[in-house]
Amino acid sequence: MPSRSPSTRPVRILLVEDHDMVAEAICLALERSPGLQIVGRAASVASALADVQRHEPDVVLLDRRLPDGDGVTAIADLLAIAPDARVLVLAGEGSASVAARVAEAGGAGLILKARGLRELEEAVRRVAAGEVVFSQDLLGDVLERLTGRAPGLGADLTPREREALHLLGEGRTTAEISEQLGVALNTGRNHVQRVLEKLGARSQLEAVTIARREGILA
């Protein structure tokens, strides 16, 4: 990525965030920072894919949860359109598995919304300069996962949770899973919820997709 002089060319940022109040606060904070420029704002994955080609940003500040999909899964498509862009994921909550997915997809980092606007500004500058930035409480676990020193995704699933996951992969409902496992409906729901949490998924469909990608499901 070519070097840039902050005095002659600002860092061009495309913000992808669907919550208006959050987006406005981020835009105000970053626009007031010398050398940073918001060149566009999208509120969905589809809009981001169009806007990244139109605006040619240096940094895409990408919310993880968007109305039409998971921001992490959109990283590869964004970089296919704008290979010189750097993608920084912004998340309400994070885990080592999600952060590792960001890195594996080619993202430049993940920062938690709770960290505040000052830390976000610093992260944007560092990412634009070519660094990889992850929130400090995630960094150690991310490095362990990427270097293979930590158990793989899904390694901590219990036998019951693996059964529930395989049934999800067959398209079974929570009620059907509970019946198949011979447990109460609430217990079945708990098994499914723990599967989602351990895989870093926000839906049953996403859990199945992740499990197949990671080789947990055939």
Side-chain angles (χ1 to χ4, degrees), residues 188-204:
R189 287 197 185 110
N190 289 338
H191 287 320
V192 171
Q193 183 58 38
R194 282 194 292 269
V195 168
L196 268 60
E197 291 171 357
K198 291 180 179 181
L199 295 182
R202 63 173 181 173
S203 69
Q204 295 179 10

Side-chain angles (χ1 to χ4, degrees), residues 113-196:
K113 293 180 180 180
R115 287 298 182 184
L117 294 171
R118 182 171 296 180
E119 187 166 331
L120 175 60
E121 176 191 340
E122 180 185 356
V124 168
R125 293 186 188 279
R126 289 173 60 192
V127 162
E131 295 184 45
V132 174
V133 179
F134 287 91
S135 289
Q136 281 300 119
D137 46 355
L138 298 176
L139 184 58
D141 288 340
V142 172
L143 292 175
E144 286 187 353
R145 284 180 182 269
L146 294 179
T147 56
R149 290 199 297 267
L153 190 63
D156 56 346
L157 289 171
T158 67
R160 273 297 204 195
E161 290 162 4
R162 287 183 179 274
E163 288 183 68
L165 176 58
H166 278 85
L167 291 169
L168 284 175
E170 295 174 1
R172 305 291 186 89
T173 66
T174 303
E176 289 171 336
I177 290 171
S178 302
E179 183 178 355
Q180 185 73 26
L181 296 180
V183 298
L185 181 58
N186 284 341
T187 303
R189 287 197 185 110
N190 289 338
H191 287 320
V192 171
Q193 183 58 38
R194 282 194 292 269
V195 168
L196 268 60

Side-chain angles (χ1 to χ4, degrees), residues 24-174:
E24 288 171 11
I26 292 173
C27 286
L28 283 172
L30 296 184
E31 284 282 15
R32 289 172 180 168
S33 301
L36 301 183
Q37 178 186 9
I38 301 290
V39 296
R41 180 203 158 190
S44 66
V45 171
S47 296
L49 293 173
D51 287 351
V52 76
Q53 185 169 29
R54 181 182 306 118
H55 297 297
E56 298 183 346
D58 301 307
V59 176
V60 179
L61 186 55
L62 177 66
D63 190 14
R64 187 199 163 196
R65 300 188 186 279
L66 294 163
D68 57 345
D70 181 350
V72 178
T73 63
I75 292 174
D77 291 334
L78 289 166
L79 294 177
I81 297 170
D84 292 331
R86 305 275 287 165
V87 180
L88 177 62
V89 174
L90 186 62
E93 69 283 331
S95 66
S97 61
V98 172
R101 286 177 57 209
V102 171
E104 289 164 352
L110 180 149
I111 187 166
L112 302 179
K113 293 180 180 180
R115 287 298 182 184
L117 294 171
R118 182 171 296 180
E119 187 166 331
L120 175 60
E121 176 191 340
E122 180 185 356
V124 168
R125 293 186 188 279
R126 289 173 60 192
V127 162
E131 295 184 45
V132 174
V133 179
F134 287 91
S135 289
Q136 281 300 119
D137 46 355
L138 298 176
L139 184 58
D141 288 340
V142 172
L143 292 175
E144 286 187 353
R145 284 180 182 269
L146 294 179
T147 56
R149 290 199 297 267
L153 190 63
D156 56 346
L157 289 171
T158 67
R160 273 297 204 195
E161 290 162 4
R162 287 183 179 274
E163 288 183 68
L165 176 58
H166 278 85
L167 291 169
L168 284 175
E170 295 174 1
R172 305 291 186 89
T173 66
T174 303

